[in-house]
Amino acid sequence: MPKTKTLVKICGITSTDQALQIADLGINAIGVISVDDSPRYVTPEKKKEIFNKLKVFYPNIERVSVVKNTPINSIIKNFLGEPNETIIQLHGDEDIDYCQKLKQKIPNVGIWKAFRIKSKEDLEKIKVYENFIDAILLDSWNNETYGGTGKRIDKIYLENINFSKPWWLAGGVSKEWIYEISRNIGPNGIDISSSVETSPGIKDIYKISLMLKEVNKY
């Protein structure tokens, strides 16, 4: 079976104009951060504006709202009516019970769960989640923060990964790493943020275009 194209998500968008520029490059998913202690935080009103524009002009792009240890009722409240996001990405310590309850509340919105990896045991713990989420995102471990550090997962933990659900690789994904990711790691998608920024939340469109060219080589 031929290898499918690696999907690309650009995360940490803070501008409607940049979201549309990035979408026009042929990205598969765009994420905004709904975590208020993040330097890339976007208010519910701004998130709604960004996702509404994407929904109108680029309806096939996944619209991902990233949350962390957020009460389910708060997630629903922050939709400000009907959700314009297609995916909720859980980037905290949410357990299986939380994932089940969230899916029951919003059955028409996909659920991706991020896992921060610092040992083989962390990978083994993911298996029990697979029936309750739609995709897995692997990120690097950091004591200070839950994401956006630009740090890579130790490659020893990325060998022979086998999940029943699609999985995305995050954490320090840069243009220079694309060859190895494509040839030796083989995620379904890559999640990119800080390596294509001029400052937190402000993306370099040219860097993103170069990243896409590199992905498309393989």
Side-chain angles (χ1 to χ4, degrees):
M1 178 182 284
K3 184 183 183 300
T4 57
K5 176 178 175 289
T6 304
L7 304 177
V8 177
K9 170 174 171 259
I10 302 296
C11 202
I13 302 297
T14 57
S15 155
T16 303
D17 287 343
Q18 283 213 324
L20 294 173
Q21 287 178 288
I22 291 165
D24 195 50
L25 295 175
I27 293 295
N28 304 103
I30 284 180
V32 304
I33 308 298
S34 299
V35 180
D36 58 12
D37 62 358
S38 168
R40 301 171 181 86
Y41 171 66
V42 168
T43 66
E45 292 77 14
K46 187 66 178 179
K47 178 194 70 175
K48 189 87 174 177
E49 175 191 310
I50 291 170
F51 284 165
N52 185 56
K53 289 290 187 183
L54 290 172
K55 183 178 180 180
V56 170
F57 293 106
Y58 300 92
N60 294 325
I61 291 178
E62 298 285 11
R63 304 179 296 276
V64 184
S65 178
V66 179
V67 301
K68 181 189 76 176
N69 301 330
T70 304
I72 290 173
N73 287 341
S74 295
I75 290 176
I76 294 170
K77 179 181 177 182
N78 288 341
F79 288 155
L80 304 179
E82 288 297 311
N84 275 346
E85 43 265 85
T86 58
I87 303 291
I88 296 292
Q89 180 179 310
L90 306 175
H91 217 95
D93 307 303
E94 301 86 2
D95 60 16
I96 290 172
D97 184 58
Y98 179 102
C99 295
Q100 286 181 291
K101 288 177 179 175
L102 181 61
K103 178 56 81 175
Q104 289 168 359
K105 290 280 190 179
I106 52 169
N108 297 321
V109 178
I111 297 175
W112 295 359
K113 177 75 180 84
F115 299 89
R116 298 184 298 148
I117 306 302
K118 65 175 179 178
S119 71
K120 281 285 187 186
E121 288 71 29
D122 292 328
L123 286 168
E124 291 165 7
K125 292 173 185 175
I126 296 172
K127 291 289 183 184
V128 296
Y129 279 84
E130 290 186 73
N131 290 332
F132 308 103
I133 57 179
D134 299 295
I136 293 156
L137 188 142
L138 302 185
D139 202 353
S140 56
W141 175 270
N142 186 283
N143 286 328
E144 310 298 326
T145 182
Y146 280 73
T149 64
K151 302 293 185 183
R152 295 181 185 179
I153 302 173
D154 189 324
K155 64 181 180 182
I156 195 172
Y157 303 133
L158 298 173
E159 296 172 353
N160 303 315
I161 285 180
N162 183 25
F163 296 121
S164 65
K165 294 292 173 72
W167 73 278
W168 294 70
L169 177 62
V173 177
S174 64
K175 178 174 173 286
E176 294 72 27
W177 198 22
I178 295 299
Y179 177 84
E180 185 178 0
I181 290 172
S182 300
R183 295 294 186 183
N184 302 324
I185 300 171
N188 298 97
I190 53 176
D191 190 328
I192 301 161
S193 182
S194 59
S195 67
V196 292
E197 286 184 329
T198 58
S199 61
I202 307 302
K203 306 303 181 186
D204 185 318
I205 305 300
Y206 180 63
K207 281 187 178 180
I208 295 173
S209 69
L210 292 179
M211 183 83 75
L212 278 174
K213 285 180 182 177
E214 195 69 17
V215 171
N216 289 333
K217 284 182 185 178
Y218 310 108

